[in-house]
Structures are given as C-alpha cells and as structure tokens.
Amino acid sequence: MHNRLCYVAQLPTKCQYLLEILMRMRALADQNTKKTTIYDLAQLAGTSAGTVSAVLNGNWKKRRISEKLATKVRNLADEHGYALNMQASTLRKEKSGIIGMVVPMYDNRYFSSIAQTFEKMARAAGYFPIVTCTQRDPELELTAARTMLAYQVEYLICTGATDPDKIHDLCAPAGVPTLNLDLPGKKASSVISNNYAGAFKLTQKILAAASERSQGSLFVGGREADHNTQERIRGFRDAHAEIGITVTEGQILACGYASEKASAALSTFLKDAVEPPAAMFVNSTISLEGVVTSLREKDRALQDNIVIGCFDWDPFAALLGDHIFMVRQDVETMMNAVFSMINEGNHDELRTIEVPPIL
Amino acid sequence: MHNRLCYVAQLPTKCQYLLEILMRMRALADQNTKKTTIYDLAQLAGTSAGTVSAVLNGNWKKRRISEKLATKVRNLADEHGYALNMQASTLRKEKSGIIGMVVPMYDNRYFSSIAQTFEKMARAAGYFPIVTCTQRDPELELTAARTMLAYQVEYLICTGATDPDKIHDLCAPAGVPTLNLDLPGKKASSVISNNYAGAFKLTQKILAAASERSQGSLFVGGREADHNTQERIRGFRDAHAEIGITVTEGQILACGYASEKASAALSTFLKDAVEPPAAMFVNSTISLEGVVTSLREKDRALQDNIVIGCFDWDPFAALLGDHIFMVRQDVETMMNAVFSMINEGNHDELRTIEVPPIL
DNA sequence: GTTTATTGCACAATCGATCACGCATCAATG
DNA sequence: CATTGATGCGTGATCGATTGTGCAATAAAC
C-alpha cells in the first residue's frame, strides 16, 4: 500500500525534495506516537497485512496460517504495543459490537446501579458498552441517540426516557433495535418494575406501621404523566381502598422528581394542613432527599413521627430510622431480562416484562 | 464506486443470475434497515459523494458549493434520516473526537458526580465522552484502557486508578495523553483533592466536637498504599499533634474501602477496646456505610455518641445526625482543571493540581 | 474576441482491517 | 511422470467519509 508520496509525483523536483524532507521530519516526530498498524507488522514480519489481521483476530486456523508465523506476528504485535483500530474493523465488518444506553442521571443508587450492571453484563456478553446520561433533557435524549447511531451501536437501551418512542423512530430506519428499561414505550419491548404491586405492598406496610394514628397519608414525587407514577398511585389508592379508605386528590403531590420540588410541595402542604400526615409514600430517593430536608427544617421531631415508604433504595436513607421503609428495584433481574431479550434476537414481538421489586 | 457485483463478473451466466436475485432479495429486506450513506444521498441529489460530505460536515463554503445544492442535500438527508458513520469519518480524519475515562465505580456520590460532570463538560468541549467503570480491578483497568485505545480515544482520564502509570505506559506509545484524577500518578499530570488540608481540618472539627470526652479517636477505611489515604492519615496525625496528642498505629484501620471491610475492622476493634472511641475519621462514604451498620448492630445509641468525620459527601449520610461531619470533594473545580489542561495541550510539563475540598 | 478570474463541482486516493479468491509448493497417489 | 489434494499465504476489493486536485462553465477584464 500506501505510498504517501504518490500523488505528488509530478511536482517539480525541488518541490518534491522539500516535501520529502517535510515527510521525513514528520515521520521522525511521529515515530513514538504514531500507532502501529497491521501493515507495519506485516513489513516487520515479512508477510502480508491480511495474514497479520487473520492472526490477530483469531481466525488464522481457518486461513491455514502456520503456528510459527502466527507466534512471530503475535510477538511483534506485543513488542510494538499494537492496538486494533476499531473504526477500520467496524467499517469493514459492518458490525461495531457497541451497545448503547441512555440514562437520565447517575446520582442515585438506582440509576448508577443500572449503569454499572449494564456495563458488567454487556462486557460479559462480548459487547462494548457506551452509557450516556441525558440529564432528564428530552432534547439531549434525542441528540444522544443520534450520536449513538453515528457510532453504529447495535442496540440502544433507553432507560427512564421521557419519550422512548421517538428514540425508537430514530433508530428503526437505521436497523437498530431499541429496548426500554424502567419506563415502558409502545414501539419496543420494555423491562420495568412491577410498580403497582410494589406500591401496593409498600403502602400496606406504611399504613400498618402508622395504624395507631389516623391523620391520613400522602403521596409525594413523580410526574402524573409517566407510567411508573400512575401505576404507583394506583397501588397506593388500592391499598387504601382495601382497608376502606378513599384517597383524595389533595393527598397526591406528583410534583416532579427533583428534591427541591418535593421539598417545596411538602412545605406548602404542611402549611395548609391541620395536622401532619401519619404516613408518606415517597416516589424516589431524590424526592426523599427533599422530603427529609423539609421535615428537618420544619421540626426536628417530625421526621421521627412520620412513617415513610420510599419507592427506591439507598443505603444511608435506609439507616435514617426505623420508621422508614424502602423498596428496592431488582436491577440485576431487570438487566438479565434485557440481555436475554437481546440474545433472543426477536425484535418483532413486543413484550413488557414486569420485575417485582424487593421489599 | 462500489459495484457490489464487480468481482463476480467472470462467473458463468447462470450463476450471475442467481447471485443477482439474491442481491435483490437482500436489498429488499434491507430497504428499511440499511443505513443511508452519502453515496445514496449523492445519487438522489444527482451529485457526488464528496459534495454531500462537504455539505453535511459544514465546510461547503470552503468548497464553493452553491446554497441551492446544499439545501437540497440537507433536505434529502433529513428525509432519509441520514446519520454519519463515525467509524468511516474517524478512520479517514484520523481523529475520533472521543475522550475516555475510567472510573472505579458509579455507586457513590463522588464517582457518579465525577462521571456526570465529565460527560457534561466533555460534550460542551465538543468531545464524545466514553466512561467505563473498572470495579477496582487492576486487570480490568488495563483491559479497559486497551479497548479505549482501540476506539482511538484522544485523551484518557484515569480516575482513582490503582496503577495509573501502567495505563500511561500503554497509552504513550500510541500518542494518547493521559491525565490522572483523584489519585495521582508519576508519569502524567494529576488533578486531586487537597487531601492533607481537608483531613487536617476535618480532624480538627471532630476533635473539637468530641472534646468533652477523651477516649481517643480512630481512622477507618482506605488503603495505606494509596496516596490519598497516606495524606489523609498525615492530616489526621498532624491535627492531633497540634493539640498535643500522638496517634498510635492501633488507631489507624486502613482496611480497604469496601463497606464490609470497614464494618469487620471496626467490629474487631470495638471487641478489644475498653471503651468506644469519641471520634472517628472515616475515609469514604462506602466505608461509612460499613461503620454505621456496624455501630447500629452493636448498640443503637452508640452511633449518636460518636462524632464522625467522613472524607466524602452523601446527602442522606449528612442527614444521619448532627454529630456527623462531611467534607465534599469539589468535583466541579477538579473537572474544570482537567479540561483546562486538555485545552492547553501541553502534555510535556507534568503538574499536580490540588483542589481544596469543601467542608 | 481572447485572456484571466471565479464559481461550482466531480474524481479518485486514502484511512486500517477484513475476507473471498487464487496461486504456489510439496507430498501422495495412480 | 501426470494428477490430485492439502498446506500456506499473498492479492486486491471493500466498508463510508474526507480532501487534494483538476476540469468545465460562466463572468470579468483587457
């Protein structure tokens, strides 16, 4: 290959000369930084690039290359710190081995555990995982998806995406299957927690723990628009109905997930309320942060008197007191479901898998 | 380009015919999934691939392409959901725009905040961030670095790496500069917290808060081998020395970071000790998790009686009680330092930047 | 009307790895 | 000695985007 001077062959001699000096200087400067390619190794081993490639990517037996040459090439590769150029490999093979995931945030145990488990399992399955967090920004979600497409991801996992179907529409024409995690979508298969059952049980638990009092209960956090919040509210209501209590609209504060919003919503509620609630269902650890802060500010003792159930787990939050119950979403099982769907490879049949959370 | 049949041109006619049918079937099946390329767009626009490329990557003015043709191409690209093939682009440009980071874990606020901030700033600087967590496994650290090299990263940030210098040795021959974050290395510039000063002040604080008692203090968590732990121990000792106390070896439990290890180490200490310590310096939130769990198990009241200083921050841990102090490492400032070093582009001069943590 | 400048674009080489073909060499068989 | 088969490896096209170069066509200048 690859005579870098070939297209200047017709230049006047003097010009050629200068150019050659320039090239040589550049080569000198690059000596230690330029990456070794299979062509370099081929030259060193006195063989061809195709052979080097076959040796290094493992199918040299198929190509009937001698053990001796193979070891020679491998040794040279080690010596020179050869690293495969993935871009070239991907371009030729038309298969990147990359699996992408978008996630709203890293800064709580649920999502960071998702990211970490995803990476581990993806690697175990032979993929190269790329995770990107989209800061709960719908625009960024799409941009991130587009970028992932540009990098030729083979799958895209949309975790807690605000509009997973739009991402699907972006990926489908490119032949890239998507999968929804945590929040379901209508156009691709989904793996989510069994929010209803989890919320139902959690509500039962806090109602039982607060049974000696009767000042009522509260649901804090989340967005009414999203599926998970809806299901959890349904579980919350039904657990009340079971013991003959009807939940009113005023008891539902779906104010968003952000901690400040939960804090603000709770504060206004408490100001208007005659008495503080006996039990609270908090829709995420992020919201819980706001709730506990808010209670602390208002009245140090208050926190210890309200029974709290939180749909999500955090080790320190769990240590906050005996009156606080947490359900932990089963990330391991959810991610296993994700990868078994990927391995199955059937992307036509849409499924929704609901994984029971751990109480 | 790119007649996909060209090298079968000499086959017998019948064979050619069958092959063509096969190709056509494949084309039909691919229709909706095959990615659009600049060649497709060129054909549709009645122009050349080079022109399409120039239009879409923005230097069409330099190439003197008419506004009219440019908009035509752009419209076609939109219609057909064209996505750039980054592998091809990178291969040709020999510049990936990818910036990599390895991080030990995601599951605590410090590292997850690092990952999140890194992504945000990398994107703002025009890079594509790839973050990978290496589970504190030295082997995986190297494998991850090698993989990143294969993906042609332009920089590699090593966060909390057990052996950043080995990663540097891997990257240097490939011309990829590295940078150490959180834990320093000897072969590349480093951005770290000012561990000594932070530990000194934190120790002062817990000693003052526990001053009415005299049962002594304890240092829990971390590894004596790593720089951060050494510096924090030094700060811990000096803050004691300042008020005339000498710290003995028995007071230092550098048992590793894992929560179970901290828990175990503390339990054995408490078993042998005459009295529990008045103050404890805990080296990370992970270790704190073990410490608090251990105290809880032993004696519910114990936790409220020991003054704890933790070198790291977590919102719920901070809410655990009034007797617990946390220093928060200044991730924003640290990451700004990282990116300003990258933008400077001077990788010869080795520097270590120490960022004061926030008390 | 010829020369020069400018505009607008096509062409083809190139990045590094992969893989379908095919060519040499040597041993074994008839 | 000719034929067949196996062994071992080189050749060249290819993936999609980028970019240096060159060639028309039109406009401007003389």
Side-chain angles (χ1 to χ4, degrees):
Chain A
M1 84 162 198
H2 297 136
N3 177 0
R4 301 182 187 201
L5 286 172
C6 61
Y7 59 77
V8 289
Q10 304 104 318
L11 283 179
T13 327
K14 190 159 188 181
C15 214
Q16 269 192 45
Y17 180 66
L18 286 173
L19 238 168
E20 221 162 311
I21 293 188
L22 230 152
M23 290 293 204
R24 216 169 291 162
M25 284 176 62
R26 202 182 131 189
L28 209 71
D30 285 358
Q31 209 169 31
N32 299 321
T33 65
K34 197 74 182 182
K35 283 163 186 154
T36 315
T37 71
I38 51 170
Y39 295 91
D40 303 331
L41 294 180
Q43 201 165 9
L44 290 166
T47 180
S48 71
T51 302
V52 173
S53 170
V55 168
L56 296 178
N57 69 22
N59 48 15
W60 53 283
K61 283 143 299 181
K62 276 182 248 164
R63 315 223 37 226
R64 296 180 314 208
I65 286 158
S66 63
E67 186 72 49
K68 190 180 140 201
L69 182 54
T71 29
K72 183 175 178 186
V73 167
R74 270 192 296 257
N75 288 338
L76 279 170
D78 280 355
E79 278 173 39
H80 292 262
Y82 170 79
L84 175 66
N85 184 325
M86 267 298 178
Q87 331 291 342
S89 175
T90 296
L91 180 58
R92 181 61 234 264
K93 289 199 298 189
E94 309 196 9
K95 220 166 162 293
S96 68
I98 301 178
I99 182 165
M101 177 159 111
V102 296
V103 86
M105 294 275 176
Y106 290 137
D107 67 359
N108 66 72
R109 289 305 262 254
Y110 178 49
F111 287 130
S112 63
S113 159
I114 284 182
Q116 200 162 304
T117 311
F118 173 72
E119 278 197 15
K120 197 182 64 190
M121 292 194 182
R123 242 191 288 275
Y127 289 101
F128 182 68
I130 292 186
V131 183
T132 213
C133 77
T134 56
Q135 331 239 30
R136 291 196 191 283
D137 173 356
E139 274 305 311
L140 197 51
E141 264 172 28
L142 289 175
T143 315
R146 252 187 286 268
T147 310
M148 296 243 169
L149 280 183
Y151 281 95
Q152 314 294 110
V153 293
E154 294 181 18
Y155 294 93
L156 186 53
I157 316 298
C158 308
T159 308
T162 53
D163 196 346
D165 292 339
K166 205 176 272 174
I167 300 183
H168 170 91
D169 289 340
L170 214 62
C171 294
V176 175
T178 65
L179 241 139
N180 305 311
L181 183 59
D182 180 56
L183 276 176
K186 296 203 175 311
K187 300 190 169 184
S189 290
S190 307
V191 176
I192 60 175
S193 282
N194 191 327
N195 292 290
Y196 174 77
F200 188 88
K201 287 189 192 156
L202 180 61
T203 308
Q204 281 185 319
K205 196 143 195 171
I206 59 175
L207 288 180
S211 62
E212 67 272 17
R213 281 162 292 175
S214 55
Q215 300 95 321
S217 55
L218 209 57
F219 183 103
V220 183
R223 289 176 300 213
E224 299 232 41
D226 82 36
H227 173 272
N228 291 358
T229 301
Q230 285 165 16
E231 285 294 286
R232 292 175 196 170
I233 291 178
R234 197 162 65 85
F236 181 75
R237 284 188 191 279
D238 285 4
H240 280 80
E242 195 191 33
I243 56 171
I245 303 180
T246 308
V247 173
T248 65
E249 277 307 312
Q251 289 174 254
I252 310 285
L253 309 180
C255 52
Y257 287 107
S259 119
E260 313 83 49
K261 291 187 181 167
S263 187
L266 183 59
S267 291
T268 29
F269 178 89
L270 290 178
K271 205 159 49 191
D272 301 341
V274 187
E275 284 199 311
M280 283 175 54
F281 184 114
V282 184
N283 206 5
S284 73
T285 48
I286 305 279
S287 301
L288 182 63
E289 220 180 294
V291 164
V292 176
T293 310
S294 180
L295 292 179
R296 280 285 165 94
E297 277 170 11
K298 185 158 175 91
D299 177 1
R300 182 70 186 76
L302 206 58
Q303 187 207 320
D304 296 323
N305 284 323
I306 302 182
V307 176
I308 294 180
C310 178
F311 203 105
D312 252 339
W313 176 84
D314 178 282
F316 288 113
L319 290 170
L320 231 41
D322 302 322
H323 59 294
I324 179 159
F325 302 96
M326 313 198 92
V327 297
R328 185 173 190 167
Q329 305 194 60
D330 190 349
V331 172
E332 193 87 8
T333 305
M334 292 169 84
M335 204 61 75
N336 271 322
V338 166
F339 278 95
S340 69
M341 289 178 81
I342 288 175
N343 291 332
E344 253 174 48
N346 180 3
H347 306 294
D348 300 327
E349 180 200 351
L350 293 193
R351 286 192 291 163
T352 296
I353 297 182
E354 288 194 282
V355 177
I358 303 158
L359 209 140
Chain B
M1 83 163 200
H2 298 133
N3 177 0
R4 301 184 188 199
L5 286 172
C6 62
Y7 59 77
V8 290
Q10 303 105 318
L11 284 179
T13 327
K14 190 159 188 179
C15 214
Q16 268 193 47
Y17 180 64
L18 286 172
L19 240 169
E20 221 163 311
I21 292 187
L22 230 151
M23 290 295 205
R24 216 170 291 162
M25 284 175 62
R26 203 182 131 189
L28 207 71
D30 285 358
Q31 208 169 32
N32 298 322
T33 66
K34 198 73 183 184
K35 283 164 187 154
T36 315
T37 71
I38 51 169
Y39 295 91
D40 303 331
L41 294 180
Q43 202 164 10
L44 290 166
T47 181
S48 72
T51 301
V52 173
S53 170
V55 169
L56 295 179
N57 69 23
N59 47 17
W60 53 284
K61 282 144 299 182
K62 276 182 250 166
R63 306 208 109 227
R64 296 179 315 208
I65 286 159
S66 64
E67 186 73 50
K68 191 180 139 201
L69 182 53
T71 29
K72 182 176 179 185
V73 167
R74 270 192 296 257
N75 289 338
L76 279 169
D78 279 354
E79 278 173 39
H80 292 261
Y82 170 79
L84 175 66
N85 184 326
M86 267 299 178
Q87 325 293 341
S89 176
T90 295
L91 179 58
R92 181 59 233 265
K93 289 199 298 189
E94 310 196 9
K95 218 165 164 293
S96 68
I98 302 179
I99 182 166
M101 178 160 109
V102 297
V103 87
M105 294 273 176
Y106 290 137
D107 65 1
N108 67 73
R109 289 305 261 255
Y110 178 50
F111 288 130
S112 62
S113 158
I114 284 182
Q116 201 162 302
T117 311
F118 173 72
E119 278 196 14
K120 197 181 63 189
M121 292 195 182
R123 242 191 288 275
Y127 289 102
F128 181 67
I130 292 186
V131 183
T132 213
C133 76
T134 55
Q135 331 239 32
R136 291 195 190 285
D137 173 356
E139 275 305 309
L140 196 51
E141 263 171 28
L142 289 175
T143 315
R146 253 187 284 269
T147 310
M148 296 246 170
L149 279 184
Y151 281 95
Q152 315 294 110
V153 293
E154 294 181 17
Y155 294 92
L156 186 53
I157 317 299
C158 308
T159 308
T162 53
D163 196 346
D165 291 339
K166 204 175 273 173
I167 300 183
H168 170 91
D169 290 339
L170 215 62
C171 294
V176 175
T178 65
L179 240 138
N180 305 312
L181 184 59
D182 180 55
L183 276 175
K186 296 203 175 313
K187 301 190 169 184
S189 290
S190 307
V191 176
I192 61 175
S193 283
N194 191 328
N195 292 290
Y196 174 77
F200 189 88
K201 286 190 194 157
L202 182 60
T203 308
Q204 282 185 319
K205 197 144 196 171
I206 59 175
L207 288 180
S211 62
E212 67 272 17
R213 283 161 291 177
S214 55
Q215 300 95 321
S217 55
L218 209 57
F219 184 103
V220 183
R223 289 176 301 211
E224 297 232 42
D226 83 36
H227 173 272
N228 291 359
T229 302
Q230 285 164 17
E231 284 294 285
R232 292 175 196 171
I233 291 178
R234 198 163 64 85
F236 181 75
R237 284 188 191 281
D238 285 4
H240 280 80
E242 195 192 34
I243 55 171
I245 303 179
T246 308
V247 174
T248 65
E249 277 308 311
Q251 289 174 255
I252 310 286
L253 310 179
C255 52
Y257 286 106
S259 120
E260 313 83 47
K261 290 187 182 166
S263 188
L266 182 59
S267 291
T268 30
F269 178 89
L270 289 179
K271 205 158 49 192
D272 302 342
V274 188
E275 283 200 313
M280 283 176 55
F281 185 114
V282 184
N283 205 6
S284 72
T285 48
I286 306 281
S287 303
L288 182 63
E289 221 180 293
V291 164
V292 176
T293 310
S294 182
L295 292 179
R296 280 284 165 94
E297 278 170 9
K298 186 160 177 92
D299 176 2
R300 182 69 185 78
L302 207 57
Q303 187 207 320
D304 296 324
N305 284 323
I306 302 182
V307 176
I308 294 179
C310 178
F311 203 105
D312 252 338
W313 176 84
D314 178 282
F316 288 112
L319 290 169
L320 232 41
D322 301 323
H323 59 293
I324 178 158
F325 303 96
M326 315 198 90
V327 297
R328 185 172 189 167
Q329 306 193 60
D330 190 349
V331 172
E332 194 87 7
T333 304
M334 293 169 84
M335 204 60 76
N336 271 321
V338 166
F339 278 95
S340 70
M341 289 178 81
I342 287 174
N343 290 333
E344 252 173 49
N346 180 3
H347 307 294
D348 301 326
E349 181 201 349
L350 293 192
R351 287 193 290 163
T352 296
I353 296 181
E354 290 193 282
V355 177
I358 302 158
L359 210 138

